[in-house]
Amino acid sequence: MAAQNKPLVTHIFTADPSAHVFEGKLYIYPSHDVAIDCPDDDNGDQYQMEDYHILSMDSLDAPCVDHGEVLHEKDVPWVSHQMWAPDAAYKNGKYYLFFPAKDKDGIFRIGVATCDTPAGKFTPEPDYIQGSFSIDPAVLVDDDGRSYCYFGGLWGGQLEKWQTGSFVPDAAAPADNEPALGPRVAELSDDLLSFKGAAQEIKILNKDGSPILAGEHDKRFFEAAWMHKYNGLYYFSYSTGDTHYLAYATGTSPMGPFTYQGHILEPVIGWTTHHSIVEYEGKWYLFYHDASLSGVNHKRCVKFCELHYNEDGTIQTITPYADEK
């Protein structure tokens, strides 16, 4: 299946779109890329984002509105820099913005900010969520009212530094023949401001029940967690990082384990790939980004396309740019 679309906005660089339907409209919570002159490195130093803008559309055919800056790193007491990919949630009559950033010690943590409206501005909690670490929070408010925060990212996202439960700056990643590091999940408190308990590692398995290995770079989790439900099944999707796929796995519990199913999106222009999946007016859509607007890895643009399921519940793989050839 081919995807053909244009950037939602071109006046700023945006990435990592978390799309939600709030109040009958589509709201997109992206990161805001900064157009700095910085060489690429595996630690992600070129991604120096410092604030968040919120985008919205009254319908899929309507213009995309930029609601302006809704949170800046200077507004958050514990943040030093690098406010990366966020997510949003609605519960208890409030809107919540979850975001990763480095604390004063250079360690990624996850913070939360609240607002009475989906478009902001958001007021941050004074400290990060205790027990949080790494990057890319994605929040599911399940049908039973329980809520879960999924997170994690390798390399610059520091996930491999937490294998002992504490931050080890020089920790090595697992060997290629060892099980891959899984993302983390923690159930959230009823007010969504804290974890109910310690985060757990999520198991992503092959269809034969064996763990995906660290050397299986086209399947293993790297970053960009997202969770959605379709026909009562939990779909955990993510980026494979250095092989540039969006992959997914399914399971019957929000905490896993999940069984690997395949790729959602083939590689796009640029190094990173990051996404969200949302249902709107009876159809499903994939929001993602690429670097087609600039040709520079850290100056990206948000796009979207329709997503289709097969009768057995598997997702049809999307091939970007196929209609442009």
Side-chain angles (χ1 to χ4, degrees):
M1 185 176 61
Q4 185 178 28
N5 55 76
K6 296 179 180 179
L8 285 182
V9 295
T10 58
H11 66 290
I12 58 174
F13 293 110
T14 54
D16 313 316
S18 293
H20 294 272
V21 179
F22 293 140
E23 300 178 351
K25 296 168 57 174
L26 275 165
Y27 283 87
I28 301 99
Y29 299 82
S31 55
H32 177 201
D33 283 343
V34 178
I36 62 170
D37 183 14
C38 179
D40 287 359
D41 63 47
D42 289 344
N43 199 44
D45 292 329
Q46 63 272 30
Y47 301 105
Q48 292 291 335
M49 300 90 93
E50 60 186 30
D51 67 355
Y52 297 109
H53 286 228
I54 294 174
L55 310 177
S56 72
M57 296 186 292
D58 288 338
S59 69
L60 292 169
D61 298 324
C64 186
V65 176
D66 176 6
H67 294 273
E69 181 187 291
V70 300
L71 186 68
H72 193 280
E73 64 185 21
K74 68 180 183 332
D75 303 324
V76 190
W78 59 270
V79 169
S80 63
H81 65 298
Q82 287 187 305
M83 297 177 84
W84 285 7
D87 191 21
Y90 175 75
K91 191 178 182 183
N92 309 319
K94 283 188 174 183
Y95 295 90
Y96 297 78
L97 182 70
F98 294 83
F99 60 94
K102 283 184 176 173
D103 66 13
K104 304 301 185 182
D105 295 321
I107 299 173
F108 267 113
R109 306 288 186 174
I110 295 170
V112 60
T114 58
C115 185
D116 291 331
T117 64
K121 288 191 169 184
F122 280 80
T123 301
E125 293 294 301
D127 201 359
Y128 57 79
I129 297 173
Q130 296 304 300
S132 71
F133 53 90
S134 199
I135 61 169
D136 294 355
V139 172
L140 172 73
V141 179
D142 209 350
D143 302 329
D144 61 3
R146 297 172 71 176
S147 306
Y148 306 87
C149 182
Y150 305 85
F151 61 93
L154 302 177
W155 299 8
Q158 302 178 341
L159 184 59
E160 55 267 72
K161 302 181 188 302
W162 287 92
Q163 295 175 76
T164 65
S166 299
F167 185 79
V168 179
D170 58 353
D176 283 354
N177 62 349
E178 295 177 339
L181 282 179
R184 300 299 195 268
V185 59
E187 186 171 354
L188 289 161
S189 58
D190 291 339
D191 63 6
L192 301 192
L193 299 180
S194 62
F195 291 168
K196 282 189 174 181
Q200 301 177 29
E201 185 172 4
I202 294 173
K203 292 183 179 179
I204 304 176
L205 306 173
N206 290 299
K207 291 182 180 180
D208 64 3
S210 63
I212 290 176
L213 301 180
E216 296 183 280
H217 287 209
D218 60 339
K219 296 199 296 185
R220 63 92 164 86
F221 171 83
F222 186 91
E223 62 184 0
W226 185 258
M227 175 63 74
H228 76 282
K229 291 178 76 176
Y230 176 75
N231 287 346
L233 197 63
Y234 294 89
Y235 286 68
F236 181 79
S237 49
Y238 56 93
S239 167
T240 63
D242 54 351
T243 50
H244 318 295
Y245 291 105
L246 289 181
Y248 76 106
T250 58
T252 57
S253 165
M255 306 284 281
F258 298 100
T259 301
Y260 176 82
Q261 299 294 338
H263 294 152
I264 297 173
L265 181 69
E266 294 188 346
V268 297
I269 296 169
W271 199 96
T272 65
T273 189
H274 196 123
H275 70 300
S276 57
I277 296 170
V278 65
E279 184 181 18
Y280 182 66
E281 295 185 342
K283 293 185 178 181
W284 288 86
Y285 296 91
L286 175 74
F287 283 75
Y288 65 102
H289 71 235
D290 68 13
S292 61
L293 189 61
S294 69
V296 177
N297 286 335
H298 65 272
K299 295 192 291 186
R300 298 160 292 181
C301 56
V302 169
K303 299 180 172 184
F304 77 93
C305 65
E306 191 173 348
L307 180 143
H308 296 279
Y309 298 88
N310 297 309
E311 288 187 5
D312 63 359
T314 56
I315 295 174
Q316 295 179 19
T317 303
I318 297 168
T319 303
Y321 323 118
D323 291 343
E324 299 175 16
K325 294 178 181 179

